[in-house]
Amino acid sequence: MTTSQIAPEVAERVHEGLNPAQRAAASHGAGPLLIVAGAGTGKTNTLAHRVAYLIASGITPNRILLLTFTRRAAGEMKRRVDALLRRVATGDERLPETLSGAKVWGGTFHSVAARLLRVHGRDIGLEPNFTILDRADAEDLMHLCRTELALGKQGRRFPQKGTCLDIYSRCVNAQLPLEDILRTVFPWCKEDAEDLRRLFVEYTDTKESRQILDYDDLLLFWRGLLDSPAGDRVRERFDAVLIDEYQDTNALQADIVALLRPDGTGVTAVGDDAQAVYSFRAATIRNILEFPQRFEGTTVLTLEQNYRSTQPVLDATNAIIAASSQRYDKTLWTDRDGGARPALVTCRDEVEQTDYVIERILGHREEGLALKQQAVLFRAAHHSAALELELSRRNIPFYKYGGLKFVEMAHVKDLSSFLRLAENPLDSMAGLRVLQLIPGVGPRIAAALMDALRDANGDFDTWVSWRPPEISVKTWPDFVGLMRNLAHAPSTDVSAQLHAARIFYAPLAEQRYDNAAARLADLEQIEMLGSRFNDRARFLAEMTLDAPNWTGDFAQPPTLDEDFLILSTIHSAKGLEWDAVYVIHAADGNIPADLACGSAEEIEEERRLFYVACTRAKDHLYVLHPLRYYAAGRGFSDRYGYAQRTRFVPDTLRPLFAESQARPTSDEADAESGGIEATTTRIREGIKAMW
DNA sequence: CTCCGTGCTGTTTTT
DNA sequence: CAGCACGGAG
């Protein structure tokens, strides 16, 4: 790492406002650095300061690689670094040139991989027009391969396509042999090892021949590139590599970091082993625990001063995580005195929980807390269904993170598939999808047409002579014309291409969907969005790799400037904070999820997840658990269960909480019938409101 | 071959 | 109540 000496007064300006530990982290020298940063200790801020410090000390911004967990985090980081640099530049003549759009390489492992492979892929035999399969595409491809090999037709039932992909992905990301993964994670599929092996070979071959990459390939090929003779060309690009949320990286990602900076110089990893919640994606806290062994001469710095939460909230969250066997010991403290103990609220059922949460939210808003400063968190996306319904009914605007994503909706995928096919005519997943939109064209014909296209080296002219079924004789030439135009269009004009595709697609969508108008409106939004891009491949990649945040950009109720409540899965809430946080369905079965109680490790992860949820709160924390809950999915009708409060708040921790009932206990006697009556009344009101 | 109706099954978190 | 697999009609 080539850092020139940094002037003390410049350093002082960079570090303004940091505490001593943060300061040490931000201005650390070239040796490998691990920052163990507890929740709310200013991790993001410290990392931003470190980036600014590196730039101020002479490293060119585009020689810094900043790997974050989400695109949102990347954007936030960039904003802060820019602000810092602006502050530093004041009165300094040497710096302004580095300022204008400090182009730090940033993004998720996956999106950075896509960009690097676009440039260097040829060196390892990858054409730059490769396209990327999202999760659903990958599953569908797995399914096609399974049918191809006639698996699951021998009487025994074969694992589902999603399960197959999970197994495959787990092997790749954990870098472990199939047997190990089957034995430890998917024991009920042990019998299928041989067939799975065949399936995975077929899957891999198909992807290769079609020049399509799945999520895992992006990491795999990035590592392969670094491991190849061309690896130096990638290594030479970067002087510094910083990785956020290191506790949630997997073996493959750790390999990539090590290959980027083999001796560890210039590596900065930030993370908190107490917040590791992605082991289902093969993330392993061994990466953070063993970082010092992997990189000799590592400096470990710990951030323990919490700036986020009040003392009572921190007392509770510290106690929750104390029960865990975390390895990097740290005790968070704060000087934010005062504030109330977090609330532990018992509700009779989900209706009561919903009402309670909404009342509190509105109450806080009365006191001046905007909806945006409050969030409701839950374990699984569907846990918020009842709440969403009631919020809509009461016209309380909200926005939900996690769960179904905008770009995964059928019509959005349809539209982007036109561009994907134009970008890479071998992309059979995009091709099959687009072709089957045409009436009279099903899987068989579509497959034949894609084969023909491949034989013609991707020249769409080969489709001109094909005679479609009667119903589509008119549509077909338009379609072929569209594809030819898209293929020859300058790749820069993304929104024009989207427009052309939309015009063709609109009538098909109208036939296909009963709510076509709404869907077509979405597509206009996509088109607008396309105008922000000047590169089709980049557009398509971001579309699949950075999907979640796109929803935040526009796919919401038309209230973007207005105030709205945040609903989020706990996983999607990572790294965020709100003044008031409501953790709902915090009852055994949901937290921890009964599907995740197979082993002690899994339960520990659920505990950390609960910890992550609670540590999002600055001033007000509510943990709610309905006694009676609707066990979604276990058959319909009246499958209600009686839930224990979450085991992560055992009796010993109760003094740290203010316990209450959602309704006064005096109602107990008549509450049962009263509650039910209230429900039926509400249903009737709802029906009346419909006319 | 496509398309549509019927019946079975299965459930988390995300790049 | 889905989303998917399978069977039969056109």
Side-chain angles (χ1 to χ4, degrees):
Chain A
M1 187 156 74
T2 51
T3 59
S4 57
Q5 201 56 21
I6 183 166
E9 69 274 13
V10 175
E12 186 45 48
R13 257 179 286 153
V14 174
H15 293 331
E16 207 178 291
L18 293 189
N19 70 33
Q22 293 174 326
R23 199 173 271 239
S27 58
H28 178 78
L33 172 66
L34 175 63
I35 306 170
V36 179
T41 54
K43 168 173 72 79
T44 308
N45 205 26
T46 304
L47 204 50
H49 277 79
R50 176 144 180 79
V51 172
Y53 177 86
L54 292 174
I55 293 172
S57 64
I59 296 187
T60 316
N62 69 9
R63 300 188 55 77
I64 297 175
L65 176 59
L66 178 59
L67 294 162
T68 50
F69 201 74
T70 61
R71 183 167 169 265
R72 169 129 80 359
E76 171 67 13
M77 197 68 80
K78 188 173 162 41
R79 200 183 57 73
R80 291 205 203 186
V81 170
D82 283 350
L84 280 170
L85 288 176
R86 222 167 288 129
R87 185 168 95 192
V88 170
T90 321
D92 189 298
E93 282 67 44
R94 201 173 56 85
L95 284 160
E97 54 194 296
T98 65
L99 265 181
S100 51
K103 291 228 187 312
V104 172
W105 269 76
T108 62
F109 273 87
H110 296 266
S111 76
V112 169
R115 275 184 279 156
L116 284 172
L117 288 169
R118 201 75 67 185
V119 180
H120 295 283
R122 276 230 164 84
D123 293 338
I124 52 168
L126 186 68
E127 291 301 313
N129 69 332
F130 66 84
T131 39
I132 300 165
L133 301 182
D134 67 14
R135 164 94 207 188
D137 289 324
E139 281 186 13
D140 289 346
L141 179 56
M142 200 58 94
H143 177 70
L144 289 178
C145 295
R146 192 175 54 171
T147 333
E148 183 76 20
L149 296 175
L151 293 171
K153 296 237 163 160
Q154 309 112 334
R156 264 183 53 73
R157 68 162 185 274
F158 198 69
Q160 296 220 326
K161 58 181 180 179
T163 313
C164 294
L165 187 65
D166 284 342
I167 298 170
Y168 169 87
S169 188
R170 190 74 177 230
C171 292
V172 170
N173 283 290
Q175 292 289 288
L176 289 171
L178 179 61
E179 281 76 20
D180 291 13
I181 296 297
L182 288 180
R183 185 163 34 79
T184 54
V185 193
F186 303 90
W188 64 94
C189 300
K190 262 190 295 196
E191 308 298 305
D192 300 301
E194 259 336 289
D195 284 342
L196 284 168
R197 213 180 297 281
R198 284 169 58 214
L199 175 64
F200 296 162
V201 170
E202 175 73 15
Y203 176 71
T204 308
D205 286 347
T206 312
K207 282 184 299 176
E208 182 183 4
S209 69
R210 299 295 183 169
Q211 294 179 38
I212 45 186
L213 307 192
D214 62 18
Y215 287 142
D216 302 330
D217 289 331
L218 290 168
L219 301 184
L220 224 38
F221 285 39
W222 185 5
R223 189 185 63 170
L225 174 64
L226 287 166
D227 224 357
S228 78
D232 284 337
R233 294 180 48 197
V234 180
R235 266 183 292 278
E236 284 160 8
R237 292 187 91 107
F238 305 113
D239 292 321
V241 178
L242 301 93
I243 313 104
D244 198 6
E245 308 279 11
Y246 200 67
Q247 77 282 356
D248 285 321
T249 55
N250 62 38
L252 193 45
Q253 291 166 321
D255 281 354
I256 290 170
V257 173
L259 280 164
L260 275 169
R261 309 294 308 168
D263 62 356
T265 55
V267 174
T268 302
V270 187
D272 179 7
D273 46 310
Q275 293 183 69
V277 291
Y278 276 87
S279 70
F280 68 92
R281 228 168 68 184
T284 166
I285 58 173
R286 288 179 52 180
N287 281 353
I288 192 167
L289 295 175
E290 294 171 5
F291 185 94
Q293 281 79 56
R294 187 143 191 175
F295 298 104
E296 208 179 317
T298 292
T299 305
V300 180
L301 294 172
T302 309
L303 305 183
E304 293 189 315
Q305 180 175 1
N306 177 299
Y307 292 94
R308 179 180 296 155
S309 308
T310 60
Q311 192 64 54
V313 170
L314 202 56
D315 287 342
T317 56
N318 277 343
I320 288 164
I321 202 61
S324 159
S325 48
Q326 53 170 318
R327 296 265 292 282
Y328 280 113
D329 252 341
K330 50 194 172 305
T331 309
L332 301 186
W333 58 277
T334 182
D335 51 20
R336 291 200 55 204
D337 276 335
R341 279 181 299 166
L344 185 61
V345 185
T346 305
C347 318
R348 188 162 293 112
D349 54 21
E350 198 176 12
V351 174
E352 240 183 56
Q353 176 179 251
T354 299
D355 287 346
Y356 181 89
V357 167
I358 292 181
E359 291 318 314
R360 292 309 308 158
I361 287 169
L362 295 178
H364 279 306
R365 190 173 60 170
E366 296 283 298
E367 295 158 17
L369 215 54
L371 294 176
K372 268 184 181 171
Q373 293 166 313
Q374 309 188 50
V376 181
L377 306 183
F378 34 87
R379 175 67 175 85
H382 69 262
H383 286 165
S384 64
L387 179 63
E388 287 173 53
L389 228 66
E390 187 61 15
L391 288 169
S392 307
R393 202 181 69 84
R394 299 210 204 175
N395 285 321
I396 300 172
F398 65 90
Y399 178 63
K400 182 172 173 182
Y401 287 96
L404 213 73
K405 278 173 219 138
F406 187 69
V407 294
E408 284 166 3
M409 300 190 321
H411 55 293
V412 178
K413 285 200 75 172
D414 286 346
L415 189 74
S416 60
S417 291
F418 286 96
L419 270 63
R420 244 174 76 189
L421 180 59
E423 179 69 22
N424 173 12
L426 294 176
D427 185 334
S428 52
M429 302 318 290
L432 295 176
R433 178 174 199 109
V434 160
L435 285 165
Q436 286 177 85
L437 291 170
I438 293 161
V441 178
R444 286 312 252 266
I445 292 179
L449 285 165
M450 285 309 291
D451 284 346
L453 186 62
R454 171 146 76 148
D455 294 341
N457 288 317
D459 185 349
F460 291 103
D461 282 352
T462 194
W463 284 349
V464 171
S465 54
W466 182 67
R467 212 63 216 120
E470 198 50 42
I471 187 166
S472 291
V473 275
K474 284 214 145 97
T475 315
W476 184 250
D478 291 346
F479 171 66
V480 179
L482 170 69
M483 290 316 302
R484 289 165 65 185
N485 288 340
L486 290 179
H488 298 135
S491 99
T492 51
D493 209 349
V494 180
S495 84
Q497 294 185 39
L498 286 165
H499 181 77
R502 181 168 66 82
I503 296 305
F504 173 79
Y505 174 68
L508 298 177
E510 268 161 27
Q511 289 206 308
R512 212 176 183 74
Y513 304 109
D514 33 5
N515 58 345
R519 290 175 186 257
L520 289 172
D522 288 345
L523 300 185
E524 286 180 47
Q525 301 272 27
I526 297 268
E527 197 176 313
M528 307 261 290
L529 215 111
S531 60
R532 286 196 221 160
F533 287 80
N534 52 17
D535 177 343
R536 183 171 65 194
R538 183 76 186 266
F539 169 80
L540 291 169
E542 304 239 334
M543 189 98 165
T544 43
L545 297 177
D546 292 322
N549 312 289
W550 282 42
T551 55
D553 287 348
F554 62 88
Q556 4 187 352
T559 52
L560 200 55
D561 325 308
E562 290 165 39
D563 197 21
F564 51 87
L565 177 70
I566 302 293
L567 309 188
S568 175
T569 59
I570 301 172
H571 282 92
S572 298
K574 198 166 76 142
L576 304 175
E577 60 180 24
W578 295 274
D579 291 279
V581 166
Y582 310 80
V583 184
I584 59 171
H585 286 295
D588 269 25
N590 288 334
I591 302 179
D594 46 13
L595 287 165
C597 290
S599 65
E601 290 84 49
E602 280 183 293
I603 292 177
E604 280 313 298
E605 175 142 326
E606 295 289 305
R607 184 198 308 282
R608 293 192 296 265
L609 195 57
F610 182 59
Y611 175 70
V612 167
C614 294
T615 51
R616 301 307 96 199
K618 291 191 203 169
D619 294 343
H620 310 282
L621 171 64
Y622 297 85
V623 175
L624 293 105
H625 85 282
L627 287 173
R628 215 167 170 228
Y629 74 101
Y630 167 60
R634 306 239 180 137
F636 200 58
S637 75
D638 46 39
R639 292 294 293 262
Y640 282 89
Y642 290 88
Q644 297 299 309
R645 185 181 56 226
T646 177
R647 73 184 70 178
F648 303 136
V649 186
D651 288 346
T652 48
L653 298 194
R654 287 166 75 157
L656 296 172
F657 289 82
E659 291 192 69
S660 67
Q661 309 277 318
R663 297 235 179 113
T665 33
S666 53
D667 288 357
E668 198 80 59
D670 55 335
E672 199 68 25
S673 56
I676 288 168
E677 234 164 71
T679 307
T680 52
T681 308
R682 171 169 310 171
I683 292 169
R684 291 200 186 92
E685 271 170 15
I687 294 173
K688 277 187 236 158
M690 289 168 66
W691 318 118

